[in-house]
Amino acid sequence: MTAPEDDAAGALAGTPEEQRAALERWRLVLGEPGQSVLAGGQLSEAGAGRDAALDWLYGRDEDLERRGVRQPRHGGDGPSVVTTVDWLDDITTLFPKETIERLQRDAVERYEIHDVVTDPAVLARIEPNPTLLKAVLRTKHLMNPDVLLLARRIVEAVVRQLVEKLATEVRHAFSGARSRTASRFKVARNFDIRRTLRANLGRYRPEERKVYVETAYFVSRTRRHLDQWQVILLVDQSGSMTGSVIHSAVTAACLWGLPGVKTHLVAFDTAVVDLTADVDDPVELLMKVQLGGGTDIAKAVAYGAGLIEQPRRTILVLISDLYEGGSEHRLVRLVRDIAEQGTKVLCLAALDEDADPAFDRDMGRRLADAGAAVGAMTPGQLAAFVAEQVGR
């Protein structure tokens, strides 16, 4: 076998400076055990700073000691201990923004360094981002009033960014709905692909696997308004659903006040809290959310059922990982009853930018069999779905 430095050097191209920079990156990835990659050389001053910052965070991983990669930490006459404030100041100057956010996320979520969001000195320096917003919501019960006031700055900044982004998508979704009326205006976004294919199937060439279109059809758009629809968001506030709680609050705020839409927002664990009165202020709403605790989904669905005014003009959105701590039988029965009366039931295992669902799949199948649509959506997709229903 060849030495690591030979493998790395053989794969490098470019000037000596570029090769040196690439080898230094390998050394930072591998940590102290990868020192041989530098072939006897040392890290640059900036590289040494990055290495120290990475070691401050990832060096606390207990698995390194188990595998003998490093010796246990202990006190002594070494250099002064780096504080979280020092570390944050260092990474701000040493790494690009994307890396800083990843390091902050690992500090909070992987190593539970809570003073990232509970120490006033840290909060005064930190740049708001979605990861820190989640951390604030998880740890705000640990904060005294002065710290909570500083933490609110993070909540306000990130929520403002999310609202601005989603509001644009909501405005686009509600700007006009496709109607069933044909249009002579040939606009790409109004192309009626189904009618066009049906009308031109006689021109299908099997050997070419192509349909030759003689006549293309388009639809018109109508303004969305008309009859009132209810959108009832039931949000599981267990710890694993933090991202969905945030995006539910933002989505509800963006839907609030739209013509034809009456929005409700309900948070639940083993208790049910109606937050509709604060929907127009997502920052205040999120500061009231209490994450964690058990889960009684059936109780929340029963509460949501009691809010329904016109079943066939209601969308009930259950946002939960579907791990029921109460009665599973009651939950399935309630969903079936609501769906059978004509209400559209969405069971979303995630409502966030990634729409990456993690949920009780057995319960998901049971709810789907009961008449619910089960999956995950981004906030923009949910807004588009609501707009499509309202515009019919």
Side-chain angles (χ1 to χ4, degrees):
M1 293 181 64
T2 59
E5 59 265 34
D6 294 333
D7 289 338
L12 294 172
T15 66
E17 291 77 12
E18 291 171 337
Q19 293 183 16
R20 169 72 187 182
L23 288 172
E24 188 164 281
R25 285 196 295 273
W26 271 110
R27 162 62 179 81
L28 292 175
V29 169
L30 296 172
E32 188 177 342
Q35 183 64 31
S36 60
V37 183
L38 297 178
Q42 299 296 318
L43 288 167
S44 64
E45 183 178 351
R50 295 188 184 98
D51 186 51
L54 293 171
D55 185 65
W56 182 90
L57 180 63
Y58 298 110
R60 66 189 67 222
D61 198 322
E62 295 178 358
D63 187 54
L64 296 177
E65 295 178 12
R66 278 198 300 271
R67 292 188 288 118
V69 174
R70 66 173 300 147
Q71 296 299 315
R73 295 185 170 198
H74 52 78
D77 298 325
S80 60
V81 176
V82 176
T83 67
T84 304
V85 174
D86 297 330
W87 179 73
L88 285 170
D89 286 344
D90 288 343
I91 65 173
T92 301
T93 60
L94 292 168
F95 296 101
K97 181 179 179 182
E98 295 79 7
T99 306
I100 293 170
E101 291 186 3
R102 174 57 188 268
L103 292 172
Q104 290 174 346
R105 182 169 71 246
D106 284 350
V108 173
E109 297 180 353
R110 184 172 174 181
Y111 298 108
E112 299 183 349
I113 304 173
H114 291 312
D115 58 348
V116 170
V117 287
T118 58
D119 185 330
V122 176
L123 284 169
R125 286 170 165 77
I126 209 157
E127 187 69 25
N129 63 61
T131 295
L132 297 177
L133 171 54
K134 292 180 185 178
V136 166
L137 297 184
R138 291 189 183 117
T139 59
K140 59 186 174 66
H141 64 285
L142 303 174
M143 302 176 187
N144 64 45
D146 292 336
V147 175
L148 198 59
L149 193 62
L150 286 171
R152 190 183 179 98
R153 176 183 68 93
I154 293 175
V155 179
E156 290 174 343
V158 179
V159 166
R160 183 171 59 251
Q161 295 168 6
L162 294 174
V163 167
E164 289 173 356
K165 179 178 183 296
L166 182 57
T168 301
E169 297 180 39
V170 171
R171 282 194 299 269
H172 176 73
F174 278 80
S175 63
R178 293 188 179 202
S179 73
R180 299 180 185 277
T181 306
S183 173
R184 58 190 175 87
F185 297 103
K186 298 179 180 181
V187 180
R189 70 182 183 132
N190 295 342
F191 179 55
D192 190 340
I193 186 170
R194 292 185 180 179
R195 186 179 179 192
T196 300
L197 286 175
R198 282 198 303 269
N200 293 277
L201 280 177
R203 298 177 185 81
Y204 176 61
R205 304 284 180 83
E207 66 279 5
E208 299 179 43
R209 301 182 68 182
K210 292 181 179 179
V211 175
Y212 284 84
V213 176
E214 180 177 291
T215 304
Y217 293 91
F218 297 81
V219 295
S220 63
R221 286 185 177 259
T222 58
R223 295 294 298 172
R224 297 188 188 275
H225 56 295
L226 309 173
D227 298 329
Q228 183 95 326
W229 275 74
Q230 277 182 285
V231 179
I232 302 171
L233 302 176
L234 306 176
V235 189
D236 184 342
Q237 59 180 354
S238 59
S240 61
M241 299 298 295
T242 307
S244 294
V245 170
I246 293 167
H247 286 88
S248 297
V250 171
T251 302
C254 292
L255 294 175
W256 184 258
L258 285 172
V261 180
K262 182 179 181 180
T263 307
H264 305 262
L265 181 63
V266 178
F268 68 91
D269 41 37
T270 53
V272 176
V273 182
D274 195 326
L275 299 171
T276 303
D278 293 311
V279 162
D280 61 338
D281 185 352
V283 174
E284 184 63 30
L285 189 153
L286 287 172
M287 296 303 287
K288 290 182 178 180
V289 167
Q290 299 294 328
L291 296 174
T295 309
D296 192 334
I297 306 173
K299 182 187 289 187
V301 172
Y303 182 87
L307 297 174
I308 296 173
E309 297 169 1
Q310 299 183 59
R312 295 187 179 277
R313 305 201 72 79
T314 300
I315 303 169
L316 187 142
V317 186
L318 171 62
I319 303 165
S320 172
D321 56 16
L322 303 181
Y323 287 100
E324 175 62 295
S327 170
E328 294 185 355
H329 174 74
R330 184 185 180 216
L331 171 58
V332 175
R333 176 173 53 80
L334 283 167
V335 168
R336 179 178 290 109
D337 290 346
I338 294 171
E340 286 179 350
Q341 69 183 6
T343 296
K344 298 182 183 300
V345 182
L346 302 180
C347 295
L348 303 183
L351 180 70
D352 55 35
E353 293 176 342
D354 298 325
D356 185 17
F359 62 103
D360 185 334
R361 296 187 179 274
D362 178 62
M363 177 56 71
R365 284 190 292 269
R366 293 170 65 183
L367 295 179
D369 291 342
V374 179
M377 287 185 178
T378 65
Q381 289 170 337
L382 177 58
F385 177 85
V386 172
E388 193 69 30
Q389 303 305 313
V390 173
R392 285 183 175 179

